[in-house]
Structures are given as C-alpha cells and as structure tokens.
Amino acid sequence: MLKVFVDSGSSIKQEEAEKYNVELIPLNILMGEREFQDGVNLTMDDFYKMLIDEKIFPKTSLPNLVDLETRVNEYVEKGDDVIILTISSQISGTNNAINLMFAENKKVKVIDSQMAVGGMRLIVDEINRHREDTLEEIEKKVNALIPRIKIMAIPETLNYLLKGGRLSVKEWLLGSMLNIKPIIGFKEGRVSVHAKKMGLKNGMAYIANALKEFDCDEDYDIIASYTYNKNNLESLIAMTEKKYHKQIKVYDNLDPAIACHWGPNAFGYVFVAKK
C-alpha cells in the first residue's frame, strides 16, 4: 500500500487530509518568542491577529524530523511504500533534510514539488490518480506535471514578501511607489514575477486571461487561493470566463507558513496548462 506525506507548505488543512488521502507534516512557525506547529496549534484567526494587530513577522523552520522518521518507518516496517512531497527546495531546507534522512531507504521516495500551496495540491491529485504504480513511475508522472502547473497570485502589499526575502528591494520600490502589481508565481522552484501590471484590475485581468492563454487543462481543478478574506478573489472569479467556473472547486485560505510571506488579502489561481 502507498502512503503519502505532504508538508504544510501545501496549505492542505488537517480536516482535508482524509479527502486528499495524505498525512501532514506541519512546518514550525516562530511568532516572536512563541513557536507553533502550522495548522496544529495556531488558528488562522490567532495568526492574523499577531500578524496584523500585533505586527509580529513570523519565521518558518523545519518540521519535527524525529516525529516524521518514526511515522514513516512504522509504515515501511509494515511493507508500505511511502512518498514524501515537500515544498520547493529552493525556498525551504525541508526537502534536503528529509532527503538525507531517507536517502538509503528504497521504500521511501522524497519528491521536491518545486513550488508550494495549490501546486502541491495538484501534485497530490496526480499521485492519487496513479497510486497503483511503482514509486519510480509515480515520480516520473509528477515530474512531467510540475512544469505545466501555473501559480499566479497578487499580494495586496509587497511588504511581507520583502521582509521574507522573497522580493528584491527594487521590485518592492517599483510596486509600492508606482502602484505596479507584480503577478507572482514559481519558476524553477523559486518565487518569480510573471508580469507587472499597473493597478489591481489590470493584474486581475492578466490572471483571468492566463487560463485561456495557457490553455487551462479541464482534467484538473483550478485552485482559487487567498489570504484572510475572499474579496479580491471573488472579483477575480467574476472577471473569469464562465466556462472555467466549473473547475474552481477548491477555495484555499492559505496556511500561516505561506500566508506569512503574502500578507492579508492576496489572491490568485493555481492551474494546469496543456502546453
């Protein structure tokens, strides 16, 4: 039997684990002097209270590797195969640490998602489509899917991306002073800027039109992501061609481990392109 572990950089919630047929690996979040496990003992309300009201900028760190090793080995000893899907190795040391831990174990395959949030959800969906295949076959299918996954999002403010080291000072100055909205996603595992648009509506239009431009694959869900509230996201959906609405089945209020870099009121789509 195949067991799948995925870290909380995926923004899959504890209550969604059964739906996705996964076990979660919570990243650690440091809020001032207090340490929490992402999605375990830190509620979204408490997180945003500390982020917005108390103006505490969080830091993320590796999950509990001892606990993970114990959980994985219990399955391996029963004869199960295990896949561990991690947030991109370019933005977190989680993948490297877990790879080292299971490097000699042929029953365990550690896969670098090369992205985060909804992109990881789509990879989990792909794994679930092929659960009867070998670990090597699943990894091959996942690696073929990854370049087709598009993450496009707009933060309301660039301050959090700057503080978290995900955006250069030059890009922050341009966006903050000139009202230029960067459309942000991933490229080769790193946070990158897809495009820059003047004003929020033009940025929304770019994301809405991207579904057609990249020939969004109707065999996969469109993940509608947001932080804190859905107002901007709902405006984006209203601007999107109705034929895509049936694919928008998942509304993902991003977990603290990711939301801390985006700040409140960010929004966007994650989808699979045919080309």
Side-chain angles (χ1 to χ4, degrees):
M1 186 178 293
L2 177 66
K3 299 294 181 181
V4 180
F5 286 75
V6 60
D7 74 45
S8 61
S10 64
S11 196
I12 294 176
K13 315 296 189 289
Q14 292 289 339
E15 59 270 22
E16 295 177 307
E18 184 175 352
K19 168 191 170 184
Y20 283 96
N21 202 6
V22 297
E23 293 197 22
L24 295 178
I25 309 166
L27 299 176
N28 288 321
I29 300 176
L30 187 65
M31 304 287 291
E33 300 297 320
R34 292 166 285 182
E35 187 172 69
F36 301 91
Q37 284 190 303
D38 189 20
V40 176
N41 59 351
L42 178 62
T43 68
M44 298 297 280
D45 287 343
D46 287 342
F47 167 72
Y48 280 112
K49 182 178 186 300
M50 287 185 276
L51 184 72
I52 299 171
D53 297 341
E54 300 177 27
K55 301 191 184 305
I56 299 173
F57 186 76
K59 296 180 180 178
T60 56
S61 63
L62 298 180
N64 186 329
L65 297 177
V66 174
D67 176 67
L68 175 62
E69 185 175 31
T70 299
R71 291 163 64 193
V72 170
N73 284 338
E74 284 177 356
Y75 287 121
V76 170
E77 288 167 8
K78 294 177 184 176
D80 295 328
D81 290 328
V82 176
I83 286 177
I84 303 173
L85 180 68
T86 73
I87 191 172
S88 174
S89 61
Q90 299 296 318
I91 61 173
S92 169
T94 303
N95 180 271
N96 290 334
I98 295 175
N99 247 322
L100 287 172
M101 192 160 56
F102 294 108
E104 304 301 320
N105 195 326
K106 294 183 180 180
K107 299 285 285 182
V108 180
K109 182 70 69 176
V110 183
I111 298 178
D112 181 356
S113 72
Q114 300 177 44
M115 59 189 67
V117 296
M120 295 176 71
R121 287 174 179 256
L122 292 172
I123 292 172
V124 169
D125 284 340
E126 187 73 355
I127 291 170
N128 284 332
R129 294 180 186 208
H130 304 286
R131 293 185 75 92
E132 302 305 316
D133 292 355
T134 66
L135 293 179
E136 289 72 23
E137 289 169 338
I138 293 173
E139 182 180 37
K140 185 177 180 179
K141 288 181 171 71
V142 166
N143 286 336
L145 178 70
I146 286 172
R148 295 169 53 204
I149 296 176
K150 307 299 178 185
I151 297 177
M152 296 190 182
I154 298 176
E156 186 174 71
T157 171
L158 301 180
N159 292 345
Y160 296 95
L161 283 166
L162 177 69
K163 287 180 181 178
R166 302 295 191 266
L167 199 69
S168 71
V169 173
K170 179 181 177 181
E171 289 169 327
W172 175 81
L173 282 170
L174 282 172
S176 299
M177 295 176 66
L178 301 178
N179 194 29
I180 293 174
K181 296 297 181 183
I183 289 80
I184 295 175
F186 279 78
K187 184 178 181 180
E188 297 178 351
R190 297 183 182 277
V191 175
S192 66
V193 177
H194 284 292
K196 299 172 185 176
K197 297 296 175 180
M198 186 69 74
L200 193 60
K201 285 189 177 180
N202 286 330
M204 285 183 184
Y206 179 90
I207 295 177
N209 292 334
L211 298 176
K212 183 176 182 179
E213 180 186 347
F214 287 96
D215 198 5
C216 176
D217 194 329
E218 63 272 10
D219 288 336
Y220 296 87
D221 290 344
I222 296 171
I223 312 294
S225 297
Y226 67 100
T227 57
Y228 194 52
N229 73 63
K230 292 194 288 188
N231 292 343
N232 287 329
L233 178 63
E234 288 169 349
S235 296
L236 171 62
I237 293 171
M239 193 179 286
T240 301
E241 278 189 62
K242 291 195 182 301
K243 71 175 184 177
Y244 296 113
H245 286 197
K246 64 181 183 296
Q247 288 176 251
I248 303 174
K249 300 173 184 176
V250 180
Y251 293 79
D252 182 20
N253 186 9
L254 300 184
D255 267 8
I258 300 300
C260 66
H261 296 293
W262 289 93
N265 307 319
F267 64 98
Y269 286 153
V270 186
F271 62 95
V272 176
K274 285 185 179 178
K275 55 186 178 181

